[in-house]
Amino acid sequence: MKIAFVGKGGSGKSTISSLFTKYLLDQNLAVLGFDADINVNYLQNIKINAKEYLAISKSNNSEKIKSFLIGNNKKIESINHFIKTTPPGQGSKYLEYDKNNFIIQNFGQKLGSGYFFYVGKYESNGIGTSCYHNNLSIFENILSHTKLKENEYLVSDMSAGTDAFSNTLHAQFNKIILIVNPSQESIKVAKDFLQLGKDAKTEKNIYLAINNYEDQYEIDFIEKNLGKKVDIYFEKNKIIKQKSLFGQEISLQDTNYTKSFDKLLKINNGYDDKCIIENLKLLHKKYSQLGYIIRRIGDVSLQAKD
Ligand SMILES: Nc1ncnc2c1ncn2[C@@H]1O[C@H](COP(=O)(O)OP(=O)(O)O)[C@@H](O)[C@H]1O
Ligand SMILES: [Mg+2]
């Protein structure tokens, strides 16, 4: 199962996603963790030192990853024809939870039963010219080419706001945990996210989580304003606040979140892997027809044909 954490900056994405990761690791479950935020707080929270040379978006790394994933897929002529919406096909290779998998061997950092990856920060030669979205496209390729068994989890801490709709990320997770705080700003971002999910017809994968709240009236306020029930609850926690101020590691035992994570695993509106591939193919049809894609690499729309 692929799970992402989204929401306004400061809503608690990195805190909650790293605690959720610890919850899975404590049970010795298979985890592939991705820090897809430019600030790399997720890896920092689980005390993994993000090694620059392992960043999957570094151009020589992303080229190696693309070549591996293309495998023997005849529909992809070259790595230049492998665009962010390209779906897997016959002959494709995948990221799988296996210590011998090419991507794990070359770019993963191990912690317990998990392997961890990071997308990358801005490189100084990109200042003023490059946008973080370019870095994310290799993550989009990996996601569409990841095969997980039951009880294997891909967890991703994402960049802030509604960014996931400017690329395929909104469609590529079985569950998107939309974190909202009791604040007007956070509610506004959540509202936009939910609306975009409806417009994209992918809203089935969005679950609402309230974080850093103290009172029932805050839950009521959020539910009323978003017209949606809260699915998962994370109370304000003094130890989290204190420890994060002093840069100390927060453990699951500092919180009472275990039941909330049990619920996170259990709730299921049925956005399965079939939904992911169907939506990816729709996005591919649309993206591959853009003028600049056709001018650059020709018509690759047939990559999505069965
Ligand atoms: N449930 C909580 N209780 C207390 N403080 C929290 C809680 N969740 C997050 N915080 C604090 O809020 C701040 C922002 O959280 P963070 O996870 O970094 O947000 P994001 O990744 O969404 O930008 C951090 O200082 C964090 O310690
Ligand atoms: Mg963060």
Side-chain angles (χ1 to χ4, degrees), residues 51-295:
K51 296 202 182 80
E52 198 64 47
Y53 69 92
L54 294 176
I56 56 172
S57 67
K58 261 182 137 35
S59 56
N60 52 341
N61 291 347
S62 64
E63 280 170 19
K64 279 187 202 152
I65 292 170
K66 282 186 180 188
S67 300
F68 165 73
L69 294 175
I70 290 172
N72 202 19
N73 183 346
K74 298 276 186 305
K75 287 192 184 137
I76 311 176
E77 265 178 67
S78 76
I79 56 170
N80 293 330
H81 295 78
F82 191 178
I83 58 177
K84 61 185 184 178
T85 51
T86 299
Q90 205 180 357
S92 291
K93 293 230 165 84
Y94 295 85
L95 166 62
E96 291 175 87
Y97 184 83
D98 171 356
K99 67 176 184 336
N100 297 318
N101 181 271
F102 175 84
I103 298 177
I104 288 182
Q105 275 206 334
N106 287 281
F107 308 103
Q109 290 184 254
K110 191 173 188 319
L111 177 74
S113 55
Y115 295 98
F116 295 88
F117 305 86
Y118 97 109
V119 170
K121 307 181 207 166
Y122 276 125
E123 294 197 33
S124 48
N125 62 7
I127 291 175
T129 59
S130 152
C131 140
Y132 193 62
H133 294 144
N134 300 338
N135 295 35
L136 286 172
S137 67
I138 187 64
F139 181 43
E140 298 178 71
N141 295 145
I142 290 180
L143 269 174
S144 61
H145 291 66
T146 295
K147 258 191 198 160
L148 298 172
K149 301 196 184 97
E150 221 180 305
N151 288 329
E152 294 179 348
Y153 299 92
L154 184 149
V155 178
S156 174
D157 182 18
M158 307 267 277
S159 49
T162 51
D163 234 30
F165 288 94
S166 64
N167 48 44
T168 63
L169 293 178
H170 65 280
Q172 290 227 57
F173 292 91
N174 304 110
K175 292 181 186 175
I176 291 187
I177 312 304
L178 174 58
I179 301 186
V180 61
N181 298 150
S183 81
Q184 283 290 343
E185 297 80 0
S186 181
I187 291 171
K188 166 82 172 59
V189 170
K191 199 177 231 165
D192 291 347
F193 201 98
L194 289 167
Q195 185 58 49
L196 286 162
K198 280 200 181 108
D199 296 345
K201 299 196 171 57
T202 53
E203 80 266 34
K204 233 167 57 174
N205 69 356
I206 306 174
Y207 300 86
L208 194 61
I210 184 169
N211 180 35
N212 225 338
Y213 75 99
E214 289 176 282
D215 288 301
Q216 179 65 38
Y217 82 88
E218 293 171 320
I219 301 172
D220 297 342
F221 187 82
I222 283 174
E223 290 186 337
K224 188 161 167 255
N225 275 270
L226 293 179
K228 186 175 166 71
K229 284 264 176 223
V230 169
D231 296 297
I232 311 159
Y233 304 85
F234 302 102
E235 269 173 20
K236 185 185 184 110
N237 176 301
K238 277 197 176 146
I239 305 176
I240 292 184
K241 211 160 176 239
Q242 259 175 25
K243 283 197 166 176
S244 75
L245 180 63
F246 294 103
Q248 293 163 348
E249 187 171 2
I250 299 155
S251 72
L252 190 60
Q253 290 69 36
D254 294 327
T255 73
N256 59 354
Y257 294 168
T258 304
K259 284 221 165 71
S260 308
F261 291 138
D262 291 342
K263 174 134 191 234
L264 195 165
L265 285 187
K266 219 159 99 198
I267 40 173
N268 191 351
N269 296 335
Y271 191 87
D272 57 14
D273 293 348
K274 215 170 128 231
C275 297
I276 293 181
I277 287 293
E278 274 169 15
N279 281 311
L280 185 68
K281 286 185 171 174
L282 290 176
L283 288 168
H284 183 72
K285 282 188 187 132
K286 193 166 153 192
Y287 186 60
S288 61
Q289 290 311 301
L290 294 182
Y292 84 97
I293 295 288
I294 290 180
R295 280 192 297 279

Side-chain angles (χ1 to χ4, degrees), residues 290-304:
L290 294 182
Y292 84 97
I293 295 288
I294 290 180
R295 280 192 297 279
R296 211 178 72 206
I297 54 169
D299 184 357
V300 292
S301 60
L302 289 180
Q303 289 173 347

Side-chain angles (χ1 to χ4, degrees), residues 8-15 17 35 37 39-42 45 157-160:
K8 191 186 176 317
S11 59
K13 296 178 291 298
S14 302
T15 305
S17 58
D35 198 321
D37 189 11
N39 295 315
V40 206
N41 289 326
Y42 168 69
N45 287 355
D157 182 18
M158 307 267 277
S159 49

